[in-house]
Structure formats: structure tokens, C-alpha cells
């Protein structure tokens, strides 16, 4: 695999990127570059099995331009050369940490930060829906743990045009059940994934991963849990997938302390009716209303209301 050395000039469509250093030399290569006089990151893609589709998606995103301040949006793209290309993004501030670190309890932070991040996330997904883009591979993002502001990397693995049908599913855990079963992605799958990510932020568990997910995982079980027979861990009528009382004790405690109106929107998002009837899922606007109210409760009282 070719590695660009310091001083190499990469021609982009809107300017030149001069390589300063290689930050990662495997997979998607990352370089710190001088791009039109500013410090940026060059992401270099080479010989992926779907490189040309990847290129078209990134080109589409660059042409649209950044539609929300919480996106780490591709700013420029090179031409395609022998199934290789690159695109330019801004450098992420050290104030931001990956979502997976927060879920792994690696940071001590105010719970209001998670609610604030959820509000920004709902606004971000709403902006995607308005432009006919849908979430794909939206597995993690970065959060400013002091303010709750977010940065979401947006590239070909993060969003694609609405009604796109995936050729394959790497892991059904990160998409809507109907998409895992072969349906095209649309604003309804956006809403399911939004609810999924917000639930994880607020309760530190995947909404479909209760005691059923503790069995040795394989492809058949994955499809059963996330697509064929999904059951919300706090389903009011079916406890087959309830949270494990020890392993998920923090999730149970957070749920018990959550206000009734917060519980209600997740019941609406994940009960069996919403799984089957896509139009019944809460909208981004519904989540914004609930999350802002939740933030107000946390700001005005040093406790949670049931």
C-alpha cells in the first residue's frame, strides 16, 4: 500500500493538499495536511470493494455542503485515480471524545451533557431527513463532554440518499429491523436509528439487547434479536428480553428514575407496533420536545421526576 510522504501534493477539486504527516497507514489512511493554508485531515481511500459507489456518495455530500454545525462534513474531494481517492475534513478538537468511550464509562460527566448531546443528535438527523439523506453506518460520533455538543463524521459510510437499498448488512445492530430484512432506508429508518442512539446515550444499553443477547452471538441470533423478532428490553407486555438484573443494573436504575414522558417516547419507538408500523415511530420533532423538557427538569431540580 502506497504511503504519501511529507511534502506530497494531492490535487483536490477546490485546491491542493500538502502532506505534513501520516496519522494512520492502514485501512482508510489519514494524513495531516495543509489545505489552502489551513490544517486539515486528508482521508485516503484505496481499493475497497465498493470504491466507486463510495466515491459517488462522498461527491454527493460535498456538493450538498454542510447542512448542520454538528457534522464533520467532507469539504473537498479529489478525482478518482485507479480506484483511489481522498477527501478533506476538519480536525476534531481534543474536547470531543468518541461515543463508545462514554458508553464504556471512561469519562465522568454531568448527565445533562448526555441529554444535550441527544438534542443535538435529533437536530442533526432532522437536517438529514430534510435533504433526503438517510443514516447508514451511523455507529458512533464525538461528544464535547463539557457542553454536550456533537461532531458526526459524515462520509459514504454515514449517510446515503433516501430509498437506498443496501447490498449487504455488516451488522444489523446498527440499523432498523426492516432494513436488516432487505427494505430500503428512508426517514422511518432514520427515526428508528435516532431512537436507538439516544436510548444508548441516556441508558447505556442497546434497546434490543437484554437477556437474549447474552447467549453466544452468531449471525442467526443477530438477525433474530435485531430484525426478525426484536423485543424492547423494557417492553410492557413481553419480558422475554428484559435487562439482566446484574449486568444491566445501571440501565435499570436510570430507567426507573426517568420521567414518565421519557419512558413513553421510547415505548412508542420500540414497542411491537412501531416495529411493524413504521409511520407510528416518533419523529425527530417528537424527540426534540421530550428531550428539551427532560433537560429543563434536570436543570431546575436536583433529582429526576417519575
Amino acid at each position: 500500500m502506497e504511503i504519501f510522504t511529507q511534502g506530497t501534493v494531492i490535487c483536490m477539486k477546490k485546491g491542493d493538499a500538502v502532506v505534513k504527516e501520516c496519522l494512520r497507514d492502514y485501512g482508510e489512511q489519514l494524513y495531516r495536511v495543509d489545505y489552502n493554508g489551513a490544517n486539515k485531515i486528508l482521508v485516503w481511500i484505496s481499493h475497497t470493494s465498493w470504491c466507486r459507489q463510495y466515491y459517488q456518495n462522498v461527491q454527493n455530500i460535498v456538493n450538498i455542503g454542510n447542512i448542520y454545525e454538528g457534522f464533520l462534513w467532507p469539504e473537498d474531494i479529489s478525482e478518482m485515480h485507479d480506484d483511489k481517492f481522498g477527501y478533506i475534513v476538519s480536525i476534531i478538537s481534543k474536547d470531543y471524545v468518541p461515543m463508545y468511550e462514554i458508553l464504556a464509562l471512561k469519562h465522568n460527566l454531568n448527565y445533562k451533557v448526555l441529554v444535550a448531546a441527544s438534542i443535538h443528535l435529533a437536530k442533526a438527523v432532522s437536517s438529514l431527513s430534510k435533504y433526503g439523506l438517510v443514516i447508514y453506518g451511523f455507529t458512533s460520533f464525538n461528544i464535547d463532554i463539557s457542553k454536550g455538543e456533537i461532531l458526526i463524521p459524515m462520509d459514504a459510510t454515514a449517510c446515503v440518499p433516501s430509498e437506498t437499498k443496501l447490498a449487504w448488512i455488516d451488522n444489523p445492530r446498527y440499523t432498523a429491523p426492516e432494513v436488516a430484512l432487505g427494505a430500503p432506508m428512508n426517514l422511518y429508518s432514520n427515526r428508528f436509528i435516532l431512537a436507538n442512539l439516544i436510548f444508548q446515550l441516556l441508558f447505556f444499553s442497546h434497546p434490543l439487547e437484554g437477556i437474549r443477547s447474552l447467549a453466544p452471538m452468531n449471525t442467526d441470533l443477530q438477525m433474530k434479536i435485531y430484525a426478525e423478532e426484536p423485543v424492547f428490553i423494557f417492553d410492557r407486555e413481553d419480558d422475554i428480553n428484559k435487562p439482566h438484573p446484574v449486568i444491566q443494573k445501571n440501565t435499570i436504575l436510570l430507567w426507573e428514575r426517568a420521567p414518565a414522558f421519557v419512558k413513553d417516547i421510547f415505548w412508542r419507538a420500540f414497542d411491537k407496533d412501531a416495529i411493524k408500523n413504521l409511520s407510528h415511530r416518533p419523529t425527530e420533532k417528537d424527540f426534540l420536545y421530550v428531550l428539551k423538557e427532560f433537560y429543563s427538569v434536570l436543570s431546575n431540580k436536583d433529582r429526576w421526576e417519575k
Side-chain angles (χ1 to χ4, degrees), residues 26-43:
Y26 58 89
E28 294 184 352
Q29 298 174 16
L30 300 181
Y31 297 89
R32 188 183 304 276
V33 299
D34 181 295
Y35 171 74
N36 292 344
N39 286 318
K40 299 287 183 178
I41 297 295
L42 170 69
V43 182

Side-chain angles (χ1 to χ4, degrees), residues 46-58:
S46 61
H47 298 297
T48 67
S49 59
W50 53 295
C51 191
R52 293 189 180 279
Q53 182 62 51
Y54 197 147
Y55 183 85
Q56 292 173 5
N57 288 344
V58 176

Side-chain angles (χ1 to χ4, degrees), residues 152-170:
I152 306 169
M154 299 305 296
D155 56 28
T157 65
C159 68
V160 295
S162 181
E163 300 303 328
T164 298
K165 190 172 182 179
L166 298 179
W168 73 92
I169 301 291
D170 291 333

Side-chain angles (χ1 to χ4, degrees), residues 129-146:
S129 296
K130 289 178 182 177
Y131 279 82
L133 297 171
V134 291
I135 304 168
Y136 161 61
F138 214 55
T139 58
S140 187
F141 49 92
N142 305 283
I143 301 174
D144 184 326
I145 58 175
S146 64

Side-chain angles (χ1 to χ4, degrees), residues 13 54-64 77-78:
K13 291 188 176 182
Y54 197 147
Y55 183 85
Q56 292 173 5
N57 288 344
V58 176
Q59 178 67 77
N60 179 52
I61 295 170
V62 170
N63 290 342
I64 291 172
I77 188 170
S78 71

Side-chain angles (χ1 to χ4, degrees), residues 204-259:
F204 293 85
S205 283
H206 189 289
L208 304 178
E209 291 177 358
I211 56 177
R212 289 201 307 174
S213 65
L214 299 180
M217 192 63 69
N218 55 43
T219 301
D220 289 341
L221 183 57
Q222 278 188 335
M223 288 300 294
K224 182 176 181 179
I225 290 174
Y226 304 117
E228 296 168 352
E229 301 176 20
V231 179
F232 183 35
I233 63 174
F234 291 113
D235 190 287
R236 290 171 288 186
E237 299 177 354
D238 189 347
D239 67 355
I240 191 175
N241 194 34
K242 63 184 179 182
H244 189 282
V246 177
I247 297 174
Q248 295 175 291
K249 63 180 181 180
N250 289 335
T251 295
I252 295 171
L253 177 62
L254 290 168
W255 181 260
E256 290 176 345
R257 297 176 63 191

